[in-house]
Amino acid sequence: MRLERSFFVHLGLLVVAALFAVLAWTRDDKASALAVADVTVWTGRADDVERITFEGKSKTVVLEAKTDKEGRYFVGSTERKTTPPADKPKDPHQPPGDDAQEDEPPAEPTVKTTTFVSVAAGNKLAEAIAPLKALRAIGRIADDRAAEFGLAEPEGTLTVKLRGAERKLVLGGATPGGADRYARDEATGEVYAIKGDIYRDLDTAESRLLERDLHEWKDVDLARARVIAGDKRREVVRSGDEGKKFWADPASPEQNDETVGNWMSKLDRLRPTEYVAAAPEQKEVVARVEYAGRAGDIGFVELVKGPPGASGKPDYFLVTERTRLYGKVPVSVAEQVEQDVGAVVK
C-alpha cells in the first residue's frame, strides 16, 4: 500500500515537472519570436520614402516617389552596363607578327537605360524598407569575417531618402537556404539578416517593379464608358448579371453588343512592356475610352501611335490614370484595336 502511494506521488511530481517545462519552453519560444520580430534597423513610414537608390555591380536603380490625385506611385529608372568580351577571336587571315588586333583598345561598356512606373509593387517595397525590420540581428563583425557574410565583395548598396535624411545599407550574400540576405547598416556597422525580396526587387527592378495593371478599379465598378476616335464618339453601358456582364448600347441596354465587347476586350489585353519618360513625338491618338462608375468618372485609357520604330512599323503606346506615363504595348494587338475601332464608333 505504501509502495503504491509512493508510486503515485512520484508520478504526480513528474507530471507537474513536465507541465512546467512545457510552459517554460513555450514562453521562451514566444519571447524569441517577439525578439526577432522587433529587430528594427531604422524607423520611418512608407509615406516618408522620397527616393530609393540601389547601386549594384553592373546596374543602378533609382525610384522617385510621386503623388497626385490618384495617390502615391514611383517613377523608376535603371542603368545596366554591359561590357563586351575582352578577348576577341584572332583573325585566321592575320599575317604572322601583325599585332594590330592586339593593340586595339578594349571596347567601352554599353549602358542601357530603362524607365518604368511602379504603383503596387513600388508602394509594397516602400513599406518593406520604412520601417526596415530585420529577421535577426548578427551584430558587428570583424573585418576578417566579412567574406562569411558576402560583405567583402557586396552585391550593392541601398540608399533610402527618408524625409530628407539618407540611410544606407550594404547588401551582402545570401543566408543559408538562399532566400534572404545579409546586410550591414553603414551608420552603425551592425549586420542583419533581412528579407531577400528587397534585393530581388531592386536587382530586377525593370521587370519585378514595372506596373502592368491599367486600373486600380475592377470590372464590377463599371457602369458606362465613352469611346472617342477622332471626331467620333459613342456612349456604351455595362449591363448583365453578376459574372455575365456585357457592353450594350444605351438605347437597348439588355442586348449584348458583341462588336463593342470584343473591341473592349482587345483594348484591355494591352499591357505596357516598358515606359517612356516623355510622350512620343508626332503621336496620333488611335482611341480614348473614358470609364465611369455609378458615382462618376473613374479612369481612362488612351492608345496612341508614334513614329516608326526599329522594326520599321509604328510603335504604339498606352497611358491610363494609373500608369501616368506612356507605356509601349505589343504592336500586333494594338493594330487590331486600331483596325476595329471604326466598327465601334461608326
Side-chain angles (χ1 to χ4, degrees):
M1 190 73 173
R2 189 175 300 170
L3 180 62
E4 185 175 319
R5 188 185 314 136
S6 176
F7 170 76
F8 283 111
V9 169
H10 283 85
L11 180 60
L13 291 173
L14 180 62
V15 170
V16 171
L19 179 61
F20 274 107
V22 169
L23 290 174
W25 182 35
T26 305
R27 184 178 65 249
D28 289 345
D29 274 358
K30 289 180 179 178
S32 177
L34 289 173
V36 170
D38 287 341
V39 177
T40 301
V41 181
W42 61 61
T43 59
R45 299 180 309 144
D47 289 345
D48 296 336
V49 176
E50 299 174 8
R51 185 173 65 245
I52 302 169
T53 304
F54 173 70
E55 296 175 280
K57 295 177 179 178
S58 61
K59 71 185 73 68
T60 299
V61 180
V62 179
L63 290 97
E64 295 280 354
K66 308 283 185 181
T67 304
D68 60 13
K69 64 179 182 178
E70 300 296 333
R72 187 173 168 85
Y73 66 102
F74 290 83
V75 174
S77 65
T78 63
E79 290 186 357
R80 285 186 175 271
K81 294 181 180 179
T82 303
T83 304
D87 296 324
K88 294 183 178 180
K90 189 172 182 178
D91 185 353
H93 302 292
Q94 178 182 342
D98 186 355
D99 296 331
Q101 283 186 309
E102 298 177 5
D103 294 337
E104 291 181 5
E108 291 293 326
T110 58
V111 178
K112 181 182 179 181
T113 302
T114 304
T115 300
F116 62 93
V117 174
S118 187
V119 185
N123 282 302
K124 184 178 179 181
L125 176 62
E127 291 170 0
I129 60 179
L132 178 60
K133 295 285 188 178
L135 299 173
R136 62 183 183 277
I138 309 299
R140 297 188 181 186
I141 60 172
D143 291 342
D144 59 358
R145 295 191 61 204
E148 295 179 32
F149 301 92
L151 293 168
E153 296 182 6
E155 295 296 331
T157 301
L158 169 64
T159 305
V160 182
K161 187 176 181 182
L162 296 164
R163 286 197 172 186
E166 289 190 345
R167 300 300 303 262
K168 289 190 176 184
L169 199 68
V170 177
L171 300 178
T175 60
D180 303 308
R181 288 269 161 181
Y182 291 115
R184 182 178 62 227
D185 183 0
E186 285 290 81
T188 64
E190 297 286 333
V191 176
Y192 303 90
I194 65 170
K195 290 183 178 179
D197 284 341
I198 295 175
Y199 170 75
R200 287 187 287 272
D201 283 348
L202 293 167
D203 187 49
T204 55
E206 62 270 42
S207 59
R208 287 177 67 99
L209 299 181
L210 182 141
E211 187 59 51
R212 292 181 174 84
D213 290 337
L214 303 183
H215 313 284
E216 185 173 358
W217 44 267
K218 305 301 180 184
D219 182 73
V220 294
D221 301 322
L222 282 173
R224 61 188 184 279
R226 181 185 300 111
V227 183
I228 305 169
D231 58 354
K232 298 179 179 180
R233 61 182 57 204
R234 181 182 177 186
E235 303 283 341
V236 292
V237 295
R238 197 71 168 144
S239 299
D241 298 328
E242 195 68 36
K244 295 182 179 180
K245 293 287 187 179
F246 56 83
W247 289 103
D249 192 273
S252 51
E254 300 306 318
Q255 183 176 346
N256 182 5
D257 191 322
E258 294 185 0
T259 299
V260 174
N262 291 336
W263 186 82
M264 284 288 208
S265 295
K266 289 178 183 177
L267 182 65
D268 190 55
R269 285 203 302 269
L270 291 172
R271 290 292 185 273
T273 56
E274 61 179 283
Y275 287 86
V276 291
E281 295 181 3
Q282 305 171 1
K283 70 178 186 295
E284 174 189 344
V285 178
V286 173
R288 178 182 173 91
V289 178
E290 297 171 348
Y291 300 100
R294 299 188 183 281
D297 294 342
I298 58 175
F300 72 93
V301 57
E302 185 174 276
L303 178 66
V304 304
K305 180 167 62 174
S311 65
K313 290 186 175 183
D315 286 326
Y316 289 81
F317 302 85
L318 178 144
V319 64
T320 74
E321 80 287 345
R322 182 177 177 84
T323 65
R324 277 86 166 186
L325 299 183
Y326 283 92
K328 188 179 292 187
V329 294
V331 172
S332 59
V333 181
E335 285 179 335
Q336 293 179 30
V337 172
E338 182 179 23
Q339 292 167 5
D340 297 342
V341 69
V344 176
V345 296
K346 58 184 178 181

